[in-house]
Amino acid sequence: MAKIGFIGVGNMGGPMARNLITAGHSLKVFDLSEEAVNFVVQSGAERAASIQDAAKGVEIVVTMLPVGGNVRDVFLDDGVVAVADPGTLFIDSSTIDVESAVAVHEAATAAGFEMVDAPVSGGTVGADDGTLTFMCGGEKAAFDKARPILEGMGKNIVHCGGPGQGQVVKICNNMIAGIVTLATSEAFIMGEKLGVDRQVLFDVISTSTGSSRILEMACPLPGALAGTPSSNGFKPGFMAKLMLKDLRLSQAASQMAGSPTPLGAVATATYQQHINNGFGDLDNSSICKIIDPNVK
Ligand code: NAD
């Protein structure tokens, strides 16, 4: 069992850290939010006083932060890379831009550390029940060391390629998720306006060709499926502003690859409008409000 420093214990990192404790690891946690830290300390983690404190005296550092700038802040300058004990393995599970992932990986490698980018899919439900998919980038040897730790938090753990390649796969996945959430919202609201009951739409489409994991697990329309953010006042879950972040990452990746993503571009602009309307902190499924602001 390993000593792990865990930095960023929000909606995803909190339950992930708790599952590592359940798996028998000992954890030191740090977050800018005291409330977030309390949640994991109640499950048996030690409270770290700072980023540096969380990164020292451990064998593994796991980070789960919002954006690439946060990951650079935590690892670079006087952060994790400067203070970690020799031989510490770094695992960054945040969803961030490929450029930041590669830059942090290079800084870690130059200082003699191994690192894996390991963004996840599966949402807060997957984080809670330990069934996340991890998409990993980095050297195979680093991936092999990270795997037993990731197994404490997920079920499907895939080595996607070299540094940053986990992020590439994650960005492709989330571009599809954003497009499908918007497409599902459009279709359901149109169907209802033409007189069909929402539950009937759900029961039929969820077993037909219009179905998706989005519909089956996180139907964006309230009430059709119990336990979803939409059925709980759009409480996140996965915030709309984070979906916009990922869609923007997809558009940067599209440029980098010279590969057109017309539907990704529409989804990006639509989520931008939704955030401008003041809904960034709601679950991303609240995008249905842009089709019908009165949706209930
Ligand atoms: P969140 O905002 O709930 O949690 C992030 C935490 O990081 C917060 O508690 C914040 O205080 C902390 N933080 C930010 N900067 C920090 C710093 N410098 N030092 C210490 N702590 C810091 O976000 P989340 O939903 O947990 O998402 C985290 C990452 O996971 C994002 O990149 C997101 O895109 C990705 N993700 C989220 C979901 C989801 O369903 N929520 C699913 C898959 C991937």
Side-chain angles (χ1 to χ4, degrees):
M1 290 298 120
K3 284 187 183 167
I4 301 172
F6 204 119
I7 302 171
V9 284
N11 288 327
M12 292 294 288
M16 288 165 69
R18 217 180 32 191
N19 283 336
L20 287 175
I21 296 168
T22 306
H25 302 293
S26 60
L27 259 72
K28 270 211 279 186
V29 297
F30 180 73
D31 194 295
L32 299 176
S33 156
E34 192 153 334
E35 192 189 341
V37 172
N38 289 343
F39 172 77
V40 194
V41 166
Q42 280 159 12
S43 303
E46 184 189 332
R47 185 187 303 272
S50 61
I51 290 166
Q52 291 76 6
D53 183 22
K56 278 195 78 63
V58 296
E59 298 150 87
I60 319 268
V61 173
V62 181
T63 47
M64 191 53 165
L65 300 158
V67 298
N70 303 130
V71 174
R72 287 177 187 257
D73 287 348
V74 164
F75 279 96
L76 306 180
D77 300 324
D78 296 331
V80 171
V81 174
V83 301
D85 297 350
T88 306
L89 171 69
F90 304 151
I91 301 173
D92 177 39
S93 281
S94 327
T95 304
I96 62 169
D97 57 289
V98 178
E99 223 179 326
S100 294
V102 171
V104 174
H105 191 106
E106 282 175 358
T109 305
F113 295 102
E114 290 179 297
M115 179 155 196
V116 173
D117 51 287
V120 304
S121 165
T124 48
V125 174
D128 264 328
D129 52 22
T131 56
L132 292 170
T133 292
F134 283 91
M135 305 158 229
C136 304
E139 300 304 327
K140 177 72 167 57
F143 170 73
D144 288 340
K145 285 183 196 161
R147 182 191 272 284
I149 305 302
L150 301 179
E151 280 170 350
M153 303 181 279
K155 284 270 174 286
N156 190 17
I157 296 152
V158 183
H159 187 217
C160 301
Q165 301 286 281
Q167 297 295 351
V168 171
V169 176
K170 172 65 183 170
I171 289 166
C172 290
N173 179 76
N174 276 28
M175 186 177 78
I176 296 172
I179 293 167
V180 170
T181 305
L182 181 56
T184 304
S185 301
E186 282 184 4
F188 268 64
I189 290 171
M190 179 177 76
E192 279 184 69
K193 287 194 170 159
L194 292 170
V196 182
D197 184 72
R198 182 174 300 172
Q199 196 63 49
V200 172
L201 286 163
F202 178 83
D203 292 345
V204 176
I205 295 174
S206 65
T207 56
S208 302
T209 49
S211 191
S212 62
R213 278 177 77 86
I214 296 286
L215 181 60
E216 289 164 21
M217 294 176 63
C219 177
L221 285 300
L225 187 63
T228 60
S230 64
S231 296
N232 188 23
F234 297 107
K235 183 166 177 269
F238 181 46
M239 287 184 280
K241 65 186 179 193
L242 289 179
M243 177 61 91
L244 176 61
K245 176 203 66 157
D246 293 352
L247 287 166
R248 282 199 185 129
L249 295 179
S250 79
Q251 297 310 282
S254 161
Q255 291 273 330
M256 197 189 284
S259 185
T261 53
L263 295 179
V266 170
T268 306
T270 311
Y271 269 92
Q272 179 67 70
Q273 184 59 52
H274 186 53
I275 272 70
N276 293 349
N277 292 347
F279 297 120
D281 290 339
L282 294 185
D283 186 72
N284 77 94
S285 56
S286 62
I287 194 68
C288 58
K289 286 175 178 287
I290 211 154
I291 311 295
D292 178 359
N294 300 316
V295 72
K296 285 197 177 53

mmCIF file of all heavy atoms in Angstrom, residues 171-184 186 243-244 246-248 250-251 254 259-272 287:
data_model
loop_
_atom_site.group_PDB
_atom_site.id
_atom_site.type_symbol
_atom_site.label_atom_id
_atom_site.label_comp_id
_atom_site.label_asym_id
_atom_site.label_seq_id
_atom_site.Cartn_x
_atom_site.Cartn_y
_atom_site.Cartn_z
ATOM 1 N N ILE A 171 -10.047 14.546 -24.677
ATOM 2 C CA ILE A 171 -10.624 15.702 -25.380
ATOM 3 C C ILE A 171 -11.553 15.228 -26.501
ATOM 4 O O ILE A 171 -12.639 15.779 -26.710
ATOM 5 C CB ILE A 171 -9.486 16.620 -25.904
ATOM 6 C CG1 ILE A 171 -8.816 17.332 -24.718
ATOM 7 C CG2 ILE A 171 -10.014 17.627 -26.909
ATOM 8 C CD1 ILE A 171 -7.478 17.996 -25.050
ATOM 9 N N CYS A 172 -11.142 14.170 -27.219
ATOM 10 C CA CYS A 172 -12.014 13.594 -28.269
ATOM 11 C C CYS A 172 -13.319 13.104 -27.638
ATOM 12 O O CYS A 172 -14.416 13.365 -28.149
ATOM 13 C CB CYS A 172 -11.317 12.436 -28.987
ATOM 14 S SG CYS A 172 -9.936 12.948 -30.023
ATOM 15 N N ASN A 173 -13.211 12.398 -26.516
ATOM 16 C CA ASN A 173 -14.408 11.868 -25.841
ATOM 17 C C ASN A 173 -15.347 12.991 -25.427
ATOM 18 O O ASN A 173 -16.555 12.933 -25.662
ATOM 19 C CB ASN A 173 -13.991 11.056 -24.612
ATOM 20 C CG ASN A 173 -15.196 10.522 -23.868
ATOM 21 O OD1 ASN A 173 -15.828 9.557 -24.315
ATOM 22 N ND2 ASN A 173 -15.572 11.147 -22.764
ATOM 23 N N ASN A 174 -14.785 14.037 -24.806
ATOM 24 C CA ASN A 174 -15.672 15.074 -24.272
ATOM 25 C C ASN A 174 -16.282 15.945 -25.356
ATOM 26 O O ASN A 174 -17.364 16.497 -25.165
ATOM 27 C CB ASN A 174 -14.942 15.915 -23.222
ATOM 28 C CG ASN A 174 -15.018 15.222 -21.878
ATOM 29 O OD1 ASN A 174 -15.119 13.994 -21.835
ATOM 30 N ND2 ASN A 174 -14.996 15.977 -20.798
ATOM 31 N N MET A 175 -15.592 16.065 -26.497
ATOM 32 C CA MET A 175 -16.227 16.786 -27.604
ATOM 33 C C MET A 175 -17.494 16.029 -28.020
ATOM 34 O O MET A 175 -18.556 16.643 -28.219
ATOM 35 C CB MET A 175 -15.263 16.929 -28.783
ATOM 36 C CG MET A 175 -15.850 17.788 -29.883
ATOM 37 S SD MET A 175 -14.716 18.057 -31.248
ATOM 38 C CE MET A 175 -14.848 16.494 -32.101
ATOM 39 N N ILE A 176 -17.403 14.698 -28.088
ATOM 40 C CA ILE A 176 -18.599 13.911 -28.428
ATOM 41 C C ILE A 176 -19.669 14.102 -27.351
ATOM 42 O O ILE A 176 -20.852 14.318 -27.657
ATOM 43 C CB ILE A 176 -18.247 12.409 -28.572
ATOM 44 C CG1 ILE A 176 -17.294 12.199 -29.750
ATOM 45 C CG2 ILE A 176 -19.519 11.580 -28.774
ATOM 46 C CD1 ILE A 176 -16.736 10.780 -29.846
ATOM 47 N N ALA A 177 -19.263 14.071 -26.070
ATOM 48 C CA ALA A 177 -20.242 14.199 -24.971
ATOM 49 C C ALA A 177 -20.982 15.544 -25.047
ATOM 50 O O ALA A 177 -22.205 15.596 -24.848
ATOM 51 C CB ALA A 177 -19.542 14.037 -23.627
ATOM 52 N N GLY A 178 -20.254 16.622 -25.340
ATOM 53 C CA GLY A 178 -20.888 17.948 -25.435
ATOM 54 C C GLY A 178 -21.881 17.988 -26.588
ATOM 55 O O GLY A 178 -23.008 18.483 -26.443
ATOM 56 N N ILE A 179 -21.473 17.442 -27.732
ATOM 57 C CA ILE A 179 -22.351 17.440 -28.913
ATOM 58 C C ILE A 179 -23.604 16.612 -28.623
ATOM 59 O O ILE A 179 -24.734 17.032 -28.921
ATOM 60 C CB ILE A 179 -21.593 16.864 -30.141
ATOM 61 C CG1 ILE A 179 -20.457 17.815 -30.556
ATOM 62 C CG2 ILE A 179 -22.546 16.617 -31.302
ATOM 63 C CD1 ILE A 179 -19.458 17.197 -31.547
ATOM 64 N N VAL A 180 -23.437 15.442 -28.016
ATOM 65 C CA VAL A 180 -24.572 14.530 -27.782
ATOM 66 C C VAL A 180 -25.526 15.102 -26.723
ATOM 67 O O VAL A 180 -26.747 14.969 -26.845
ATOM 68 C CB VAL A 180 -24.062 13.120 -27.384
ATOM 69 C CG1 VAL A 180 -25.192 12.233 -26.903
ATOM 70 C CG2 VAL A 180 -23.350 12.472 -28.564
ATOM 71 N N THR A 181 -24.984 15.766 -25.704
ATOM 72 C CA THR A 181 -25.861 16.367 -24.681
ATOM 73 C C THR A 181 -26.746 17.437 -25.317
ATOM 74 O O THR A 181 -27.957 17.504 -25.068
ATOM 75 C CB THR A 181 -25.020 16.977 -23.536
ATOM 76 O OG1 THR A 181 -24.166 15.964 -23.018
ATOM 77 C CG2 THR A 181 -25.892 17.495 -22.410
ATOM 78 N N LEU A 182 -26.140 18.241 -26.185
ATOM 79 C CA LEU A 182 -26.897 19.281 -26.881
ATOM 80 C C LEU A 182 -27.911 18.658 -27.840
ATOM 81 O O LEU A 182 -29.088 19.056 -27.875
ATOM 82 C CB LEU A 182 -25.904 20.183 -27.633
ATOM 83 C CG LEU A 182 -26.469 21.359 -28.409
ATOM 84 C CD1 LEU A 182 -27.298 22.273 -27.516
ATOM 85 C CD2 LEU A 182 -25.324 22.155 -29.044
ATOM 86 N N ALA A 183 -27.502 17.666 -28.606
ATOM 87 C CA ALA A 183 -28.394 17.017 -29.576
ATOM 88 C C ALA A 183 -29.578 16.358 -28.864
ATOM 89 O O ALA A 183 -30.728 16.461 -29.316
ATOM 90 C CB ALA A 183 -27.620 15.963 -30.382
ATOM 91 N N THR A 184 -29.316 15.720 -27.723
ATOM 92 C CA THR A 184 -30.383 15.050 -26.968
ATOM 93 C C THR A 184 -31.380 16.084 -26.443
ATOM 94 O O THR A 184 -32.609 15.889 -26.515
ATOM 95 C CB THR A 184 -29.762 14.250 -25.798
ATOM 96 O OG1 THR A 184 -28.798 13.337 -26.331
ATOM 97 C CG2 THR A 184 -30.813 13.478 -25.023
ATOM 98 N N GLU A 186 -32.059 19.058 -27.727
ATOM 99 C CA GLU A 186 -32.842 19.578 -28.863
ATOM 100 C C GLU A 186 -33.981 18.640 -29.212
ATOM 101 O O GLU A 186 -35.129 19.059 -29.391
ATOM 102 C CB GLU A 186 -31.941 19.681 -30.111
ATOM 103 C CG GLU A 186 -31.016 20.859 -30.127
ATOM 104 C CD GLU A 186 -30.232 20.953 -31.438
ATOM 105 O OE1 GLU A 186 -30.465 20.139 -32.362
ATOM 106 O OE2 GLU A 186 -29.383 21.842 -31.525
ATOM 107 N N MET A 243 -17.390 21.810 -19.039
ATOM 108 C CA MET A 243 -17.667 21.288 -20.390
ATOM 109 C C MET A 243 -17.190 22.291 -21.436
ATOM 110 O O MET A 243 -16.578 21.911 -22.441
ATOM 111 C CB MET A 243 -19.162 21.001 -20.559
ATOM 112 C CG MET A 243 -19.527 20.523 -21.964
ATOM 113 S SD MET A 243 -18.718 18.973 -22.448
ATOM 114 C CE MET A 243 -19.959 17.790 -21.897
ATOM 115 N N LEU A 244 -17.451 23.593 -21.196
ATOM 116 C CA LEU A 244 -16.975 24.607 -22.152
ATOM 117 C C LEU A 244 -15.446 24.559 -22.250
ATOM 118 O O LEU A 244 -14.881 24.635 -23.344
ATOM 119 C CB LEU A 244 -17.443 26.008 -21.739
ATOM 120 C CG LEU A 244 -16.902 27.135 -22.629
ATOM 121 C CD1 LEU A 244 -17.359 26.976 -24.084
ATOM 122 C CD2 LEU A 244 -17.301 28.503 -22.095
ATOM 123 N N ASP A 246 -13.536 22.003 -21.890
ATOM 124 C CA ASP A 246 -13.136 20.842 -22.694
ATOM 125 C C ASP A 246 -13.461 21.039 -24.172
ATOM 126 O O ASP A 246 -12.701 20.618 -25.048
ATOM 127 C CB ASP A 246 -13.813 19.573 -22.165
ATOM 128 C CG ASP A 246 -13.295 19.194 -20.787
ATOM 129 O OD1 ASP A 246 -12.319 19.826 -20.323
ATOM 130 O OD2 ASP A 246 -13.855 18.271 -20.171
ATOM 131 N N LEU A 247 -14.596 21.692 -24.454
ATOM 132 C CA LEU A 247 -14.940 21.954 -25.858
ATOM 133 C C LEU A 247 -13.933 22.925 -26.474
ATOM 134 O O LEU A 247 -13.537 22.781 -27.631
ATOM 135 C CB LEU A 247 -16.369 22.494 -25.961
ATOM 136 C CG LEU A 247 -17.449 21.432 -25.717
ATOM 137 C CD1 LEU A 247 -18.816 22.080 -25.499
ATOM 138 C CD2 LEU A 247 -17.511 20.439 -26.880
ATOM 139 N N ARG A 248 -13.500 23.893 -25.675
ATOM 140 C CA ARG A 248 -12.458 24.812 -26.173
ATOM 141 C C ARG A 248 -11.161 24.038 -26.436
ATOM 142 O O ARG A 248 -10.466 24.301 -27.415
ATOM 143 C CB ARG A 248 -12.209 25.925 -25.163
ATOM 144 C CG ARG A 248 -13.262 26.994 -25.179
ATOM 145 C CD ARG A 248 -12.642 28.217 -24.499
ATOM 146 N NE ARG A 248 -13.581 29.292 -24.347
ATOM 147 C CZ ARG A 248 -13.805 29.918 -23.200
ATOM 148 N NH1 ARG A 248 -13.148 29.550 -22.106
ATOM 149 N NH2 ARG A 248 -14.644 30.911 -23.144
ATOM 150 N N SER A 250 -11.013 21.069 -27.363
ATOM 151 C CA SER A 250 -11.228 20.318 -28.616
ATOM 152 C C SER A 250 -10.977 21.211 -29.822
ATOM 153 O O SER A 250 -10.442 20.756 -30.842
ATOM 154 C CB SER A 250 -12.642 19.715 -28.669
ATOM 155 O OG SER A 250 -13.615 20.696 -29.024
ATOM 156 N N GLN A 251 -11.354 22.488 -29.702
ATOM 157 C CA GLN A 251 -11.157 23.385 -30.842
ATOM 158 C C GLN A 251 -9.675 23.729 -31.027
ATOM 159 O O GLN A 251 -9.194 23.865 -32.158
ATOM 160 C CB GLN A 251 -12.025 24.633 -30.680
ATOM 161 C CG GLN A 251 -13.515 24.309 -30.667
ATOM 162 C CD GLN A 251 -13.931 23.417 -31.838
ATOM 163 O OE1 GLN A 251 -14.082 23.891 -32.963
ATOM 164 N NE2 GLN A 251 -14.085 22.115 -31.606
ATOM 165 N N SER A 254 -8.300 20.672 -32.616
ATOM 166 C CA SER A 254 -8.718 20.624 -34.021
ATOM 167 C C SER A 254 -7.779 21.465 -34.890
ATOM 168 O O SER A 254 -7.343 21.044 -35.967
ATOM 169 C CB SER A 254 -10.169 21.113 -34.113
ATOM 170 O OG SER A 254 -10.507 21.501 -35.407
ATOM 171 N N SER A 259 -7.696 19.273 -38.425
ATOM 172 C CA SER A 259 -8.788 18.328 -38.666
ATOM 173 C C SER A 259 -10.114 19.011 -38.318
ATOM 174 O O SER A 259 -10.309 19.446 -37.187
ATOM 175 C CB SER A 259 -8.571 17.097 -37.769
ATOM 176 O OG SER A 259 -9.524 16.118 -38.041
ATOM 177 N N PRO A 260 -11.038 19.145 -39.306
ATOM 178 C CA PRO A 260 -12.251 19.933 -39.051
ATOM 179 C C PRO A 260 -13.192 19.283 -38.042
ATOM 180 O O PRO A 260 -13.360 18.062 -38.032
ATOM 181 C CB PRO A 260 -12.923 20.025 -40.429
ATOM 182 C CG PRO A 260 -12.348 18.898 -41.217
ATOM 183 C CD PRO A 260 -10.986 18.600 -40.665
ATOM 184 N N THR A 261 -13.828 20.105 -37.168
ATOM 185 C CA THR A 261 -14.788 19.610 -36.176
ATOM 186 C C THR A 261 -15.999 20.559 -36.179
ATOM 187 O O THR A 261 -16.226 21.287 -35.202
ATOM 188 C CB THR A 261 -14.158 19.562 -34.768
ATOM 189 O OG1 THR A 261 -13.601 20.862 -34.480
ATOM 190 C CG2 THR A 261 -13.053 18.532 -34.652
ATOM 191 N N PRO A 262 -16.793 20.547 -37.256
ATOM 192 C CA PRO A 262 -17.892 21.526 -37.349
ATOM 193 C C PRO A 262 -18.916 21.391 -36.227
ATOM 194 O O PRO A 262 -19.392 22.407 -35.698
ATOM 195 C CB PRO A 262 -18.518 21.246 -38.724
ATOM 196 C CG PRO A 262 -17.977 19.923 -39.171
ATOM 197 C CD PRO A 262 -16.673 19.738 -38.482
ATOM 198 N N LEU A 263 -19.269 20.158 -35.838
ATOM 199 C CA LEU A 263 -20.242 20.009 -34.746
ATOM 200 C C LEU A 263 -19.626 20.427 -33.418
ATOM 201 O O LEU A 263 -20.300 21.011 -32.564
ATOM 202 C CB LEU A 263 -20.753 18.563 -34.678
ATOM 203 C CG LEU A 263 -21.562 18.091 -35.884
ATOM 204 C CD1 LEU A 263 -21.993 16.640 -35.703
ATOM 205 C CD2 LEU A 263 -22.780 18.972 -36.114
ATOM 206 N N GLY A 264 -18.337 20.153 -33.247
ATOM 207 C CA GLY A 264 -17.636 20.595 -32.039
ATOM 208 C C GLY A 264 -17.660 22.113 -31.946
ATOM 209 O O GLY A 264 -17.820 22.677 -30.850
ATOM 210 N N ALA A 265 -17.530 22.784 -33.081
ATOM 211 C CA ALA A 265 -17.541 24.257 -33.092
ATOM 212 C C ALA A 265 -18.914 24.784 -32.668
ATOM 213 O O ALA A 265 -19.006 25.741 -31.879
ATOM 214 C CB ALA A 265 -17.168 24.770 -34.485
ATOM 215 N N VAL A 266 -19.991 24.151 -33.150
ATOM 216 C CA VAL A 266 -21.349 24.594 -32.763
ATOM 217 C C VAL A 266 -21.565 24.361 -31.268
ATOM 218 O O VAL A 266 -22.083 25.229 -30.560
ATOM 219 C CB VAL A 266 -22.425 23.843 -33.587
ATOM 220 C CG1 VAL A 266 -23.817 24.113 -33.025
ATOM 221 C CG2 VAL A 266 -22.350 24.252 -35.053
ATOM 222 N N ALA A 267 -21.152 23.193 -30.784
ATOM 223 C CA ALA A 267 -21.330 22.895 -29.350
ATOM 224 C C ALA A 267 -20.536 23.888 -28.504
ATOM 225 O O ALA A 267 -21.029 24.380 -27.479
ATOM 226 C CB ALA A 267 -20.897 21.460 -29.050
ATOM 227 N N THR A 268 -19.324 24.243 -28.929
ATOM 228 C CA THR A 268 -18.500 25.202 -28.185
ATOM 229 C C THR A 268 -19.200 26.561 -28.101
ATOM 230 O O THR A 268 -19.319 27.155 -27.018
ATOM 231 C CB THR A 268 -17.118 25.372 -28.848
ATOM 232 O OG1 THR A 268 -16.522 24.084 -29.002
ATOM 233 C CG2 THR A 268 -16.198 26.254 -28.015
ATOM 234 N N ALA A 269 -19.695 27.040 -29.238
ATOM 235 C CA ALA A 269 -20.363 28.348 -29.257
ATOM 236 C C ALA A 269 -21.643 28.312 -28.415
ATOM 237 O O ALA A 269 -21.976 29.290 -27.727
ATOM 238 C CB ALA A 269 -20.692 28.742 -30.699
ATOM 239 N N THR A 270 -22.356 27.196 -28.439
ATOM 240 C CA THR A 270 -23.620 27.100 -27.694
ATOM 241 C C THR A 270 -23.350 27.075 -26.187
ATOM 242 O O THR A 270 -24.033 27.759 -25.414
ATOM 243 C CB THR A 270 -24.406 25.843 -28.135
ATOM 244 O OG1 THR A 270 -24.462 25.818 -29.558
ATOM 245 C CG2 THR A 270 -25.816 25.853 -27.573
ATOM 246 N N TYR A 271 -22.356 26.309 -25.764
ATOM 247 C CA TYR A 271 -22.007 26.297 -24.329
ATOM 248 C C TYR A 271 -21.491 27.670 -23.896
ATOM 249 O O TYR A 271 -21.753 28.120 -22.778
ATOM 250 C CB TYR A 271 -20.986 25.190 -24.013
ATOM 251 C CG TYR A 271 -21.663 23.886 -23.622
ATOM 252 C CD1 TYR A 271 -21.954 22.920 -24.575
ATOM 253 C CD2 TYR A 271 -22.039 23.632 -22.304
ATOM 254 C CE1 TYR A 271 -22.600 21.736 -24.231
ATOM 255 C CE2 TYR A 271 -22.679 22.463 -21.941
ATOM 256 C CZ TYR A 271 -22.955 21.514 -22.906
ATOM 257 O OH TYR A 271 -23.602 20.352 -22.554
ATOM 258 N N GLN A 272 -20.743 28.354 -24.789
ATOM 259 C CA GLN A 272 -20.261 29.701 -24.447
ATOM 260 C C GLN A 272 -21.441 30.620 -24.153
ATOM 261 O O GLN A 272 -21.448 31.358 -23.168
ATOM 262 C CB GLN A 272 -19.407 30.254 -25.595
ATOM 263 C CG GLN A 272 -18.871 31.662 -25.352
ATOM 264 C CD GLN A 272 -17.848 31.684 -24.205
ATOM 265 O OE1 GLN A 272 -16.754 31.172 -24.373
ATOM 266 N NE2 GLN A 272 -18.213 32.267 -23.063
ATOM 267 N N ILE A 287 -27.596 22.617 -20.362
ATOM 268 C CA ILE A 287 -27.566 23.196 -21.713
ATOM 269 C C ILE A 287 -28.959 23.140 -22.340
ATOM 270 O O ILE A 287 -29.281 23.941 -23.228
ATOM 271 C CB ILE A 287 -26.516 22.471 -22.621
ATOM 272 C CG1 ILE A 287 -26.230 23.263 -23.904
ATOM 273 C CG2 ILE A 287 -26.937 21.048 -22.954
ATOM 274 C CD1 ILE A 287 -25.514 24.551 -23.702
#
